[in-house]
Amino acid sequence: MMRGIVSTFRASGSVSQAIQLALVATPLVIALLTSDNALLDSLNQMLIWAALALSWNILGGYARQISVGHVAFYGIGAYTSTLLALNFGISPWLGMLAGGALAALIGALLGSATLRLRGPFFTMATIAFAEVVRILAVNWRSVTRGAEGLAIDSTPNLPGFVFGQARSYVLVTWGLMAVLFAVSKYLDHSKTGLRLRAVRDNEDAARALGIHTFSLRISVLAVSAFFTAICGTFYAQYLLLIDPDSVLGVDASLQMALMAVVGGIGSAIGPVLGTYLLVPFGQVLRAQLGSQLAGLHLVIYGLGLVLVLYKLPNGIWPAIEAALKRRGRASRQRSGLPEEDAR
Amino acid sequence: MSVDLAVENLNKRFGGILAVNGAGLRVASGTIHGIIGPNGAGKTTLFNLIAGSFLPDSGRILLGARDITALTPERRCALGLARTFQIPRPFSGLDLLDNVAIGCLGRARTVGHARQLAHEVLESLGIGRYADTLASALPIGLRKMLEVARAVATAPKLLLLDEVMGGLHGDEVDRMIETIRRINATGVTVVMIEHVLPAIMSLAAQVTVLDQGRILCSGTPEAVTQDPAVIAAYLGDEVLA
Ligand SMILES: Nc1ncnc2c1ncn2[C@@H]1O[C@H](COP(=O)(O)OP(=O)(O)OP(=O)(O)O)[C@@H](O)[C@H]1O
Ligand SMILES: [Mg+2]
């Protein structure tokens, strides 16, 4: 895997690589330098969103299957690890793997039922699926305690995945995001990544060349669901309280998709960049305008999104990369060096 | 490695049109078999049925001893069947090498290995110098070659070529004829749809004529081109002219 990542970096331009690494590393550097708890808090929330956008992008970006029900996997992750800890004393570090596996399994089942059909059917099915999971969490009170939610004991301890300091949370969440970034890069440049490119480009040709498009999509959905569920556990351990609204709300599904789309789907850095821009933008707007006309900050947020996607329909990162390529070509021509290969 | 193909009483209807109407076909292992017929005769539809893009309304398709009638295209590919598309369908965002590497994935350990195998395929077809060209930037002649290279990359036993000479110039046609001969010499059974008759004449051991979904006749190229029914249905204008 390490080799895959290294060759991946060599494949793209070196300036582009440097920017990507800097973007990934920046939150870590800030976390190590600051001791402002409010800042660390925002940072942690942003990193969870980045991890979520990356998880969503594995399916939405690489397989181009647009899910707007991913919050269901998030909730499954949060509830599974929390219930295992509360009822059986199982460490969330293990519980999150169980939640991930459960989400992957359910994702695979959902995929087998819906991914064979082309068109928007899959997207619609994900909405219905998320609603079913939410209703289940609200009504299965004997287990989930319904709308009241589940509280996690806040005494700091490492096996229980509870920390006393905000910085510790930022460090582990950053680790999760970095792992997801690496997994995304690896996936994109693996045999699976090449297959996914083929399917995105021309499905009939891909099938004629022996690519099992159906099982490919199901496995990618399972991987995406797995990581989305892991994010759910991180969120639960950070808030120490989960309820259907916080981990199963419809808007979270839209948020993770939006961040990936704004940053640029189908690349590893796109969802990260999209999150870095949208989360602070949303927080600043709420702080500045939230107390004024109700909903004004949301309207402006929405208009901002429309404007970005109108100008840059492929998202922000592809535009940056294109600009870097143009600049690289121009400077090579000036220095009289031969054109670099397309590869 | 090669394999024989048998098609029995195949039917496919699109709305009011019987695109393939009771077609039967036998292709001997290791041979080149030509399929000719006027536009709209159902040739491509027959390929789509053999390759699994559509399922037939009735009839059977056998690859060697195996009944593949109901299999998905990808399963048929795994059994050694490869096809080209009449209208090339390159992965336009990728270069020629990666297009072919995707065909190699089934027999490669890693992406690097697939690219290495793809290089070998491109070299063997004499188009190695275009490896880095984006598929969308290739001229038609090379797009046809891309189709062939990608199909060959899957290491097929049976290769279906749908008008790979269409739109090619004189020496490009000669090169394609040579390419097909060489692929066949490695033991691959070839079935080719072609409007370029001299190419069929020089390559195919057997020719099948299709007209309005039906098999008009089958035989050696010489026998077929002298069949009165064929002359009437298809060759008429050209022979009389
Ligand atoms: N997917 C489809 N849906 C509906 N009708 C179709 C479809 N594919 C082919 N047909 C019809 O079936 C008939 C046979 O078409 P086909 O493409 O097989 O002919 P062909 O022999 O390959 O012709 P050409 O020499 O022009 O390539 C035509 O009437 C065509 O319009
Ligand atoms: Mg045709």
Side-chain angles (χ1 to χ4, degrees):
Chain A
M1 168 148 176
M2 216 38 229
R3 272 235 310 276
I5 295 169
V6 170
S7 71
T8 299
F9 278 123
R10 236 178 272 132
S12 48
S14 56
V15 180
S16 161
Q17 293 163 36
I19 295 177
Q20 294 184 41
L21 286 178
L23 280 170
V24 171
T26 303
L28 178 66
V29 175
I30 297 176
L32 292 174
L33 294 179
T34 188
S35 45
D36 176 346
N37 273 326
L39 178 60
L40 287 168
D41 235 34
S42 309
L43 212 51
N44 193 53
Q45 281 182 35
M46 189 180 79
L47 287 169
I48 288 181
W49 278 116
L52 274 172
L54 279 162
S55 306
W56 181 91
N57 183 56
I58 289 175
L59 180 71
Y62 296 132
R64 290 290 194 277
Q65 294 294 319
I66 304 304
S67 160
V68 279
H70 249 48
V71 81
F73 302 122
Y74 188 54
I76 287 170
Y79 271 99
T80 304
S81 60
T82 305
L83 286 171
L84 286 176
L86 292 180
N87 296 319
F88 305 102
I90 295 172
S91 160
W93 295 107
L94 290 176
M96 75 181 177
L97 297 179
L102 182 63
L105 181 72
I106 293 175
L109 290 175
L110 176 74
S112 342
T114 57
L115 280 173
R116 223 183 261 286
L117 301 150
R118 290 196 193 186
F121 188 82
F122 172 74
T123 305
M124 318 238 295
T126 58
I127 303 175
F129 164 66
E131 194 53 17
V132 168
V133 173
R134 197 186 63 81
I135 290 171
L136 199 65
V138 171
N139 290 303
W140 196 8
R141 286 202 192 86
S142 58
V143 174
T144 63
R145 308 188 60 158
E148 197 183 313
L150 299 166
I152 298 166
D153 178 11
S154 60
T155 321
N157 70 105
L158 187 58
F161 196 161
V162 178
F163 302 120
Q165 289 192 322
R167 178 179 291 131
S168 312
Y169 280 109
V170 177
L171 296 183
V172 290
T173 312
W174 181 84
L176 175 66
M177 183 197 72
V179 165
L180 266 161
F181 181 75
V183 166
S184 300
K185 282 264 178 201
Y186 173 72
L187 191 72
D188 194 22
H189 290 80
S190 66
K191 284 172 70 176
T192 302
L194 204 49
R195 289 195 173 102
L196 287 166
R197 273 165 207 268
V199 174
R200 248 142 59 189
D201 218 317
N202 193 314
E203 172 147 8
D204 288 331
R207 297 186 71 183
L209 294 172
I211 295 174
H212 293 259
T213 49
F214 181 55
S215 49
L216 183 65
R217 289 202 174 105
I218 290 179
S219 23
V220 171
L221 170 53
V223 171
S224 174
F226 175 87
F227 282 111
T228 308
I230 301 270
C231 296
T233 298
F234 273 64
Y235 185 74
Q237 294 305 127
Y238 165 67
L239 272 202
L240 299 175
L241 175 74
I242 56 170
D243 59 43
D245 272 350
S246 63
V247 293
L248 284 165
V250 189
D251 48 338
S253 282
L254 293 174
Q255 279 280 357
M256 47 187 121
L258 266 177
M259 289 184 229
V261 169
V262 165
I265 61 175
S267 69
I269 199 67
V272 176
L273 182 60
T275 307
Y276 287 4
L277 297 172
L278 285 189
V279 171
F281 180 54
Q283 282 175 351
V284 167
L285 279 182
R286 190 169 326 130
Q288 298 298 316
L289 303 171
S291 55
Q292 300 179 23
L293 202 56
L296 180 61
H297 65 289
L298 291 177
V299 172
I300 295 184
Y301 186 80
L303 286 176
L305 285 179
V306 170
L307 190 70
V308 170
L309 290 175
Y310 176 71
K311 287 282 176 202
L312 306 169
N314 292 322
I316 296 171
W317 179 252
I320 295 178
E321 272 225 303
L324 287 174
K325 273 206 188 107
R326 272 198 304 277
R327 221 194 47 160
R329 218 174 295 138
S331 70
R332 263 196 305 283
Q333 275 163 5
R334 266 199 308 281
S335 60
L337 286 173
E339 276 286 292
E340 193 186 322
D341 282 342
R343 173 151 303 283
Chain B
M1 278 260 275
S2 63
V3 70
D4 57 338
L5 171 74
V7 169
E8 294 169 0
N9 198 18
L10 217 52
N11 287 289
K12 180 70 188 177
R13 179 185 285 279
F14 291 118
I17 312 164
L18 258 174
V20 173
N21 185 359
L25 187 69
R26 274 180 189 283
V27 179
S29 180
T31 63
I32 300 182
H33 193 111
I35 293 181
I36 60 174
N39 292 113
K43 305 180 296 294
T44 297
T45 304
L46 178 64
F47 266 21
N48 282 333
L49 294 173
I50 297 172
S53 302
F54 307 133
L55 294 180
D57 300 327
S58 62
R60 284 211 309 166
I61 304 161
L62 298 166
L63 188 67
R66 178 133 191 190
D67 188 333
I68 60 165
T69 316
L71 298 184
T72 59
E74 52 270 34
R75 291 279 298 125
R76 295 181 206 215
C77 177
L79 292 173
L81 192 158
R83 61 92 56 94
T84 65
F85 291 95
Q86 179 175 352
I87 298 162
R89 298 191 186 177
F91 303 122
S92 45
L94 303 178
D95 59 22
L96 177 60
L97 184 72
D98 276 358
N99 267 269
V100 178
I102 286 165
C104 295
L105 284 174
R107 58 194 175 97
R109 279 169 279 111
T110 61
V111 172
H113 186 208
R115 291 202 173 116
Q116 190 187 321
L117 293 171
H119 254 303
E120 288 165 16
V121 171
L122 291 180
E123 288 303 334
S124 77
L125 298 181
I127 49 173
R129 64 180 170 284
Y130 305 105
D132 292 338
T133 310
L134 212 57
S136 55
L138 291 170
I140 180 68
L142 283 165
R143 282 189 197 208
K144 295 277 183 179
M145 279 305 249
L146 178 150
E147 282 286 332
V148 176
R150 223 169 40 174
V152 167
T154 64
K157 298 175 193 160
L158 171 69
L159 181 57
L160 307 177
L161 301 174
D162 194 348
E163 293 196 32
V164 289
M165 319 258 180
L168 301 196
H169 308 301
D171 54 333
E172 284 177 328
V173 170
D174 292 343
R175 221 171 304 140
M176 190 62 91
I177 290 175
E178 200 38 54
T179 302
I180 294 170
R181 210 189 298 280
R182 255 187 298 148
I183 293 168
N184 176 244
T186 65
V188 180
T189 310
V190 176
V191 184
M192 54 187 296
I193 297 173
E194 202 48 72
H195 279 300
V196 181
L197 277 187
I200 287 275
M201 293 300 190
S202 73
L203 283 169
Q206 292 281 308
V207 174
T208 294
V209 186
L210 213 59
D211 183 35
Q212 296 179 31
R214 271 199 299 269
I215 305 282
L216 217 53
C217 69
S218 267
T220 63
E222 294 73 26
V224 159
T225 45
Q226 270 144 38
D227 189 302
V230 175
I231 295 172
Y234 169 59
L235 297 168
D237 319 338
E238 285 173 44
V239 171
L240 293 177

